[in-house]
Amino acid sequence: MASTIVAKFNRYLPGILLGLVLGGAGGRAQTLPLAENLINLASSQGEELLYSSQARRDFLPLSTQFVTQINQAYCGVASSVMVLNALGIKAPLAPEYAPYHVFTQDNFFTANTQRVTTIERVRQRGMTLAQLGQLLASHGATPQVYHAADSSLGDFRRKTIANLNQPHNFVLVNYLRRTLKQEWGGHISPLAAYHQQSDRFLILDVSRYKYPPVWVKAEDLWQAMNTLDPDSGLSRGFVLVNRP
């Protein structure tokens, strides 16, 4: 009997998880059309990729923390809030939810983060890959920052798949949207799963008013990360985020 229940649960799990992602605020936004190189998670093909994914340990914890960035410069802030909450890092008080503690995009900036960059700077320009790692570290997480120019597609694929197969760690990617035929500049979002046969990663795009979660070819994502960030003078890349 127990095995039958488990089998039924596993059968319906992708639909349950997909509902968590698409049912939140912004999940039903009138998003922009996708180019042919991307697969919408909410499509039948996208759902099948999730169902048959071999590396999706991060999908459920990220789904329960999935947020929409509150302005067009806060992709790094929204992505950081998601992983910090999913990691269970000690959070500050959230006045709107007092007496409860949780990371939000409104309480993300503290005296510690001001040593990395200012809230005003992020509102105007976003953040660089290095600043993303430093901001996560300022909240107690343990980030490993990899610039694409100093790595390789194979190294990225190996490190990221290993991360997605393990609990209690996450992957954030910093990439140029234009390379993926999206609009237009640099962006940051978490990865949630990998599908081996199609060699695609699932991006949980935090600009949910603009694009849905998408499956993207590993090589295409790599090319989008291996682009110059004019604010740092370095390539974009990815960050592996662990507990302290």
Side-chain angles (χ1 to χ4, degrees):
M1 181 61 140
S3 61
T4 301
I5 293 173
V6 170
K8 287 183 177 179
F9 178 77
N10 287 336
R11 178 183 176 186
Y12 293 110
L13 180 60
I16 296 170
L17 299 180
L18 191 59
L20 285 171
V21 170
L22 300 178
R28 293 179 294 277
Q30 295 183 13
T31 52
L32 297 175
L34 295 176
E36 70 283 352
N37 59 315
L38 301 172
I39 299 173
N40 190 335
L41 174 61
S43 68
S44 57
Q45 186 180 6
E47 187 172 355
E48 177 56 33
L49 290 176
L50 178 62
Y51 180 82
S52 55
S53 168
Q54 296 81 13
R56 62 183 189 198
R57 292 291 296 268
D58 289 358
F59 185 85
L60 183 56
L62 287 175
S63 297
T64 59
Q65 303 297 337
F66 199 8
V67 297
T68 303
Q69 61 188 84
I70 60 176
N71 62 53
Q72 295 192 52
Y74 264 31
C75 57
V77 176
S79 299
S80 297
V81 163
M82 285 175 64
V83 299
L84 290 170
N85 283 325
L87 286 169
I89 301 289
K90 184 177 180 181
L93 178 70
E96 63 270 40
Y97 304 126
Y100 301 105
H101 292 246
V102 64
F103 285 100
T104 71
Q105 295 172 70
D106 291 320
N107 69 14
F108 178 78
F109 290 96
T110 66
N112 286 336
T113 64
Q114 293 281 46
R115 300 187 182 101
V116 178
T117 187
T118 65
I119 187 172
E120 292 79 13
R121 174 72 176 174
V122 173
R123 284 174 175 167
Q124 293 172 1
R125 302 285 300 179
M127 63 182 70
T128 67
L129 183 68
Q131 288 170 341
L132 174 62
Q134 292 165 2
L135 288 166
L136 288 162
S138 74
H139 283 294
T142 303
Q144 295 172 280
V145 176
Y146 298 91
H147 290 274
D150 300 325
S151 185
S152 68
L153 170 59
D155 192 43
F156 164 67
R157 188 188 282 113
R158 285 190 298 273
K159 282 183 168 65
T160 303
I161 293 171
N163 183 287
L164 293 170
N165 270 314
Q166 300 167 354
H168 313 311
N169 53 39
F170 299 97
V171 186
L172 299 179
V173 287
N174 176 207
Y175 58 98
L176 184 64
R177 280 198 185 277
R178 184 166 57 250
T179 307
L180 298 182
K181 302 180 182 178
Q182 293 185 323
E183 296 180 358
W184 291 110
H187 190 59
I188 297 169
S189 280
L191 295 184
Y194 173 75
H195 185 265
Q196 183 176 358
Q197 285 81 358
S198 65
D199 193 28
R200 287 181 181 269
F201 287 102
L202 175 61
I203 301 175
L204 291 186
D205 197 326
V206 294
S207 61
R208 302 174 74 186
Y209 51 86
K210 188 174 182 180
Y211 288 111
V214 294
W215 290 96
V216 56
K217 281 279 190 181
E219 184 173 0
D220 291 345
L221 179 56
W222 173 255
Q223 294 298 331
M225 292 190 299
N226 197 17
T227 52
L228 182 69
D229 180 352
D231 283 344
S232 68
L234 301 171
S235 67
R236 298 176 174 88
F238 61 103
V239 182
L240 306 182
V241 191
N242 294 270
R243 286 178 173 176

